[in-house]
Amino acid sequence: KYYDVVTASPLNPGGKIKDLPLHRLFLSKSISLIYKTISGSNINTFTCAFRAYRGNTLRNLDYKSDGFTCAAEILILLILNNYRVKEVPSVLSNRKYGQSKMKILSTIIDHLGLISRLIRIRLTSRTVVNEKN
């Protein structure tokens, strides 16, 4: 059995979360639940930091995001186009060194925009992969 995408998730059975602030865990679980509902998928995490893609899966994908929401948008569009996705367990722990560049409020706003765009796609059944001529 082959997969087009393999994604790592601390929320997958066998995964772990260590020393993560409660607000971050709440935000992550909440957005993943929304994306899970929109995509109709059994994936547990849409905002993970590790993914492997089959070489040709991204070439014709019509995604718009360019920030922290990009990973979620790409995964959901692939799911909506019936690509095969495998989720494996991972460990997520709080950063020990340095600081994240993510601005929480602007990332939340970006996710709300993505949710709106994905709902429009689902309601119009618009294709999300552009065929090359």
Side-chain angles (χ1 to χ4, degrees):
K1 196 171 190 178
Y2 76 91
Y3 296 95
D4 300 299
V5 181
V6 177
T7 182
S9 170
L11 301 177
N12 184 278
K16 292 182 183 168
I17 297 173
K18 296 180 181 178
D19 303 323
L20 201 64
L22 286 178
H23 74 280
R24 220 178 120 200
L25 183 59
F26 172 77
L27 290 171
S28 180
K29 283 186 171 187
S30 297
I31 197 65
S32 288
L33 180 60
I34 292 167
Y35 288 144
K36 189 174 191 170
T37 302
I38 289 171
S39 69
S41 146
N42 62 354
I43 298 298
N44 295 295
T45 306
F46 290 82
T47 56
C48 80
F50 177 82
R51 285 214 187 107
Y53 299 94
R54 185 175 295 279
N56 62 350
T57 56
L58 302 179
R59 288 197 179 96
N60 299 323
L61 196 65
D62 185 20
Y63 62 94
K64 310 286 185 226
S65 299
D66 62 358
F68 286 99
T69 56
C70 188
E73 181 179 8
I74 287 171
L75 184 60
I76 293 166
L77 294 179
L78 291 172
I79 290 168
L80 294 178
N81 280 282
N82 299 314
Y83 283 83
R84 298 180 68 144
V85 179
K86 170 82 171 167
E87 186 177 61
V88 297
S90 68
V91 176
L92 175 63
S93 58
N94 201 20
R95 180 185 299 267
K96 290 185 176 30
Y97 305 102
Q99 279 190 317
S100 172
K101 293 179 178 135
M102 180 173 58
K103 306 283 188 250
I104 291 180
L105 184 58
S106 64
T107 302
I108 290 170
I109 291 168
D110 289 346
H111 278 291
L112 293 173
L114 176 56
I115 289 166
S116 174
R117 193 162 60 249
L118 292 169
I119 289 172
R120 281 194 310 275
I121 288 170
R122 291 302 307 255
L123 291 175
T124 62
S125 298
R126 197 173 73 213
T127 183
V128 291
V129 174
N130 294 332
E131 296 298 323
K132 285 190 174 180
N133 296 333

